Amino acid sequence: MCIANNMKLFMRMAVAAMGLLLVNGCATVTAFTESALNKPSISDTVDSFESAALAIKTSNRILLHAPISEQETWPEKLYHAPNMANALKMALSGIGSYYNVTIPTEFDPETGFPRPTSPLYIMIKDRNQMLDRELNKHYVAFFKQNPNDITCSIIDKQPDCVNEFAYRNPLMAYGTITGNSLELVKLEQKVDLMSQGYRECDAWVRRSNEGDVVPVACKDTGLKGDEVERSMQINLTKEELKIARNNYGRLSKRIYQASVAGADFTAAAVTKIGIAIIKFPRAVKNAQEEFSGWKGAVNTAMILPRLKNLFSAIDIYKAHLGTQLIAYKTMYKQLNEKYDTTDDDKTREAKARIERFSAAYAKLAPKLEILARGGNVEFSTQEALQWERLAASYPPLEEMAAMFTASLQH
């Protein structure tokens, strides 16, 4: 009888999770929802940091390594639901987290071993798979072979195409339509150097031995938020802007979609880290249950080798995520003010999530600063409740399950 009841619960949760993920299909919703449902655990803490690492890499890829033109459709597809195989993995992973069991649906490319996987981790991986399919291979190859070029001619140009160029990435396209290409070339170089240092840090954090990568190489990012914001301001005259709107109208909408999606990924990553840190004291209290019995043997093998490095890496993650969020928010706010970018439902929802996150993060940031410097902080019950309420502000699973069931019937 107990087994039958558990199977019913398992199936009901699977359908509910599938409904949630297929209806929303966005990074920040996934991050908040899974954080609200999961019990505080060491496994979830580790996954939060590693999901953030993948989000940083994906965000960098969108900003620096995704060729874009007015004809490209990949910016819009960043908002689409995951494919069915990944959606099933996300549901399975979410159910495992609910029962406080690590389900290794993925392999860690750094170690080659199975890794704890949350729905967010799989969601971001799905977006990377989409980019692998959708990014124009000709443009990717061209810019790799010609790293100093900002543009190349569009191949298979459509008859209604106004701007005949493809750009190396959204940042360079943004620089062109805002009239400050030279300034943003310098910014691109700094962000790229920053990301190279991050990759070393990320490897150090994820591997079991601290000595694999020299920590000193990861300490100084050399790039501040106000520097990013200043270099991305639009300084066109009224006459120049009128011409730019005619030449870059459709392109500006593509850049806008990409920048809002990039900010959404970044907010999702900080959300995961923030809630994991707040929940960590409770995770420690639950550790005895988490690492006991057969569940403990599985969790211990996959979790403990990485745990010791995570909190020492808060500053690394925070610096990269903060820089990315500033860049993306500056891009979409400036475009929204100067160009006719017109939000659709997906971008409007994403921006609302980002703003809610930003307001909550502003209150949490001072304590993260203390943690990054190695200090001790305590999170109040009110702070925990604020982030839990923020997580729970999305539609409940039962409602999503009903919506998903209705969609299957039709």
Side-chain angles (χ1 to χ4, degrees):
M1 187 70 176
C2 181
I3 295 175
N5 287 337
N6 282 338
M7 284 301 296
K8 288 179 182 178
L9 177 62
F10 180 94
M11 293 303 297
R12 198 171 61 152
M13 290 179 63
V15 171
M18 285 288 290
L20 172 71
L21 299 168
L22 290 173
V23 171
N24 283 292
C26 61
T28 307
V29 168
T30 305
F32 275 119
T33 304
E34 70 182 46
S35 295
L37 291 175
N38 291 356
K39 297 177 182 178
S41 68
I42 302 298
S43 301
D44 189 53
T45 302
V46 172
D47 177 82
S48 295
F49 278 87
E50 296 195 345
S51 295
L54 185 61
I56 288 172
K57 292 175 181 177
T58 305
S59 189
N60 276 335
R61 182 182 188 184
I62 293 169
L63 188 66
L64 300 180
H65 305 293
I68 191 169
S69 75
E70 67 174 48
Q71 294 186 173
E72 304 304 309
T73 59
W74 65 261
E76 183 179 351
K77 291 182 179 179
L78 286 168
Y79 301 89
H80 288 187
N83 66 42
M84 185 60 70
N86 285 331
L88 287 169
K89 282 185 181 181
M90 291 165 76
L92 181 63
S93 176
I95 293 165
S97 295
Y98 182 84
Y99 282 106
N100 210 22
V101 178
T102 299
I103 299 179
T105 62
E106 301 286 330
F107 283 85
D108 187 336
E110 294 286 347
T111 65
F113 291 104
R115 54 149 286 129
T117 45
S118 68
L120 177 65
Y121 184 94
I122 300 167
M123 177 70 191
I124 299 174
K125 184 174 180 179
D126 180 271
R127 301 299 83 175
N128 275 288
Q129 291 169 346
M130 181 279 293
L131 290 172
D132 290 341
R133 293 191 306 269
E134 297 295 329
L135 289 181
N136 188 298
K137 303 299 188 293
H138 171 80
Y139 301 147
V140 171
F142 175 86
F143 290 118
K144 280 185 178 179
Q145 295 167 6
N146 303 276
N148 294 323
D149 287 359
I150 292 176
T151 64
C152 69
S153 297
I154 290 179
I155 59 172
D156 301 326
K157 188 172 66 172
Q158 297 171 3
D160 61 343
C161 181
V162 177
N163 177 19
E164 62 184 24
F165 294 109
Y167 296 81
R168 185 163 69 216
N169 55 46
L171 185 61
M172 291 299 97
Y174 175 82
T176 299
I177 72 173
T178 58
N180 55 354
S181 293
L182 293 178
E183 192 69 24
L184 290 190
V185 166
K186 296 176 185 177
L187 178 63
E188 180 193 42
Q189 292 169 348
K190 291 180 181 180
V191 173
D192 194 37
L193 286 172
M194 184 177 173
S195 70
Q196 289 178 34
Y198 168 76
R199 285 195 290 270
E200 291 184 348
C201 282
D202 182 47
W204 171 63
V205 170
R206 289 155 71 93
R207 291 172 184 159
S208 59
N209 297 319
E210 293 187 35
D212 285 346
V213 176
V214 180
V216 175
C218 311
K219 294 296 183 185
D220 185 15
T221 64
L223 189 61
K224 305 302 180 186
D226 56 349
E227 180 185 355
V228 174
E229 196 167 5
R230 275 197 313 272
S231 65
M232 300 184 78
Q233 298 299 309
I234 296 178
N235 297 311
L236 296 175
T237 66
K238 288 184 179 180
E239 292 74 17
E240 290 171 334
L241 185 58
K242 184 177 180 180
I243 296 171
R245 284 171 177 160
N246 290 330
N247 292 337
Y248 305 123
R250 289 172 60 182
L251 178 63
S252 68
K253 292 179 182 179
R254 295 301 187 192
I255 301 170
Y256 183 77
Q257 290 172 325
S259 63
V260 174
D264 197 25
F265 281 120
T266 305
V270 185
T271 298
K272 285 290 290 182
I273 292 177
I275 294 182
I277 290 171
I278 290 173
K279 283 185 171 184
F280 191 70
R282 283 182 286 159
V284 173
K285 291 180 181 178
N286 294 340
Q288 184 173 358
E289 176 189 353
E290 182 181 1
F291 292 99
S292 64
W294 68 269
K295 291 192 301 182
V298 175
N299 289 341
T300 301
M302 290 189 287
I303 300 300
L304 291 183
R306 296 179 186 142
L307 182 63
K308 61 182 179 181
N309 289 329
L310 291 181
F311 276 77
S312 64
I314 290 173
D315 199 35
I316 298 165
Y317 284 76
K318 187 169 59 65
H320 283 267
L321 293 165
T323 299
Q324 289 177 348
L325 191 62
I326 290 169
Y328 283 124
K329 288 183 71 173
T330 303
M331 285 171 70
Y332 74 66
K333 285 183 177 180
Q334 289 280 300
L335 290 174
N336 204 26
E337 290 174 1
K338 304 293 185 180
Y339 287 84
D340 182 21
T341 50
T342 312
D343 279 311
D344 58 18
D345 288 342
K346 296 294 185 183
T347 54
R348 193 178 298 111
E349 291 167 8
K351 284 169 64 178
R353 290 191 297 271
I354 295 162
E355 292 307 314
R356 285 197 299 269
F357 155 78
S358 297
Y361 180 71
K363 297 178 181 179
L364 186 68
K367 289 191 175 181
L368 292 182
E369 292 286 348
I370 295 172
L371 282 174
R373 294 194 298 267
N376 295 318
V377 298
E378 292 185 5
F379 295 98
S380 67
T381 303
Q382 288 78 9
E383 286 172 317
L385 287 173
Q386 179 191 18
W387 281 72
E388 295 288 3
R389 280 197 299 266
L390 187 58
S393 65
Y394 294 92
L397 285 178
E398 291 293 337
E399 179 183 335
M400 286 299 177
M403 292 171 64
F404 180 59
T405 303
S407 68
L408 288 180
Q409 292 172 348
H410 287 89

